Amino acid sequence: MAYPNQITLKFTTLLISILAFVTRETIANYPIHISITNNLSPNPTSLTVHCKSKDDDLGFHTLTHLGKYTFTFRKSAFPIFSSTLFFCSFTWSASPYRHYLDIYNQKHMDCTQCDWYINNTGGCYWESATDGTLCFPWKSIELNQLMDGNSTSKM
C-alpha cells in the first residue's frame, strides 16, 4: 500500500515533468526572424553576408544597396545549458577587412523580429522589447586573406 506522501511525491513529479515538457515545446517552437539590410554609405556598394551558428552555416549572400537577407530559426529551449548564437561576417569591395557581428545572442536579445541595418561602422537593430534602436560597433575585424596565401590577422 502506498502512503499519502509517496502518492503526493509521484503526482508532483509527474506534474513537473508535464510542465517542463509543455514549456520546452512552447519555447522551442517560437520562431525568431532575422533580417539584414545593406545600409553602407556614402558610396553604396554590394555587401556579402555569411551567417553561422554552432549547428548551421547559412552560406554567403550578396546584397545590393538596401537589399535584404532574411532567415528564421528556433531558439534553444533550455538557454541555461546551451543558448542560441548566430554571428555573421560582412565584406564589401571598398574595405579590405572582414567584419563580424553577433546577429542573435539568446543570452542578451529578446527580439522575435530582429531587423538589422548594416553600415560602415557596425550594425543597428530595432528591438521590440524596448521599442528602440540599438547600435553596435563591429565585434571584431580581420584582414581578408591575401592572394599570396598569407593568413588573416585579427584586430
Side-chain angles (χ1 to χ4, degrees):
M1 178 175 167
Y3 294 103
N5 286 344
Q6 289 176 330
I7 293 171
T8 302
L9 179 62
K10 289 178 183 178
F11 178 75
T12 303
T13 302
L14 176 64
L15 183 61
I16 289 171
S17 298
I18 291 170
L19 287 173
F21 179 77
V22 168
T23 301
R24 182 183 69 84
E25 290 302 308
T26 302
I27 292 171
N29 288 320
Y30 203 75
I32 306 297
H33 305 281
I34 304 289
S35 76
I36 300 170
T37 300
N38 174 359
N39 201 33
L40 294 173
S41 62
N43 300 319
T45 186
S46 293
L47 174 69
T48 300
V49 179
H50 183 202
C51 296
K52 294 180 177 183
S53 72
K54 180 178 73 170
D55 301 318
D56 298 301
D57 184 338
L58 304 180
F60 291 87
H61 303 273
T62 301
L63 310 178
T64 59
H65 182 65
L66 299 180
K68 188 180 288 191
Y69 168 60
T70 61
F71 64 95
T72 300
F73 61 92
R74 298 184 190 289
K75 63 185 179 178
S76 173
F78 298 106
I80 294 171
F81 303 111
S82 172
S83 62
T84 302
L85 170 66
F86 271 95
F87 59 95
C88 301
S89 69
F90 302 89
T91 57
W92 59 94
S93 62
S95 173
Y97 300 103
R98 184 178 299 119
H99 307 75
Y100 291 92
L101 275 178
D102 290 347
I103 290 296
Y104 183 83
N105 186 337
Q106 185 174 350
K107 291 180 181 178
H108 306 293
M109 297 173 79
D110 192 28
C111 59
T112 56
Q113 173 66 48
C114 306
D115 296 317
W116 281 90
Y117 297 89
I118 304 303
N119 58 54
N120 301 61
T121 60
C124 299
Y125 82 97
W126 181 79
E127 185 178 61
S128 57
T130 61
D131 196 26
T133 300
L134 301 173
C135 294
F136 299 92
W138 299 116
K139 183 170 183 176
S140 68
I141 301 172
E142 68 181 17
L143 189 60
N144 274 334
Q145 187 153 347
L146 303 175
M147 299 300 275
D148 65 3
N150 289 340
S151 62
T152 57
S153 61
K154 288 201 173 194
M155 297 181 89

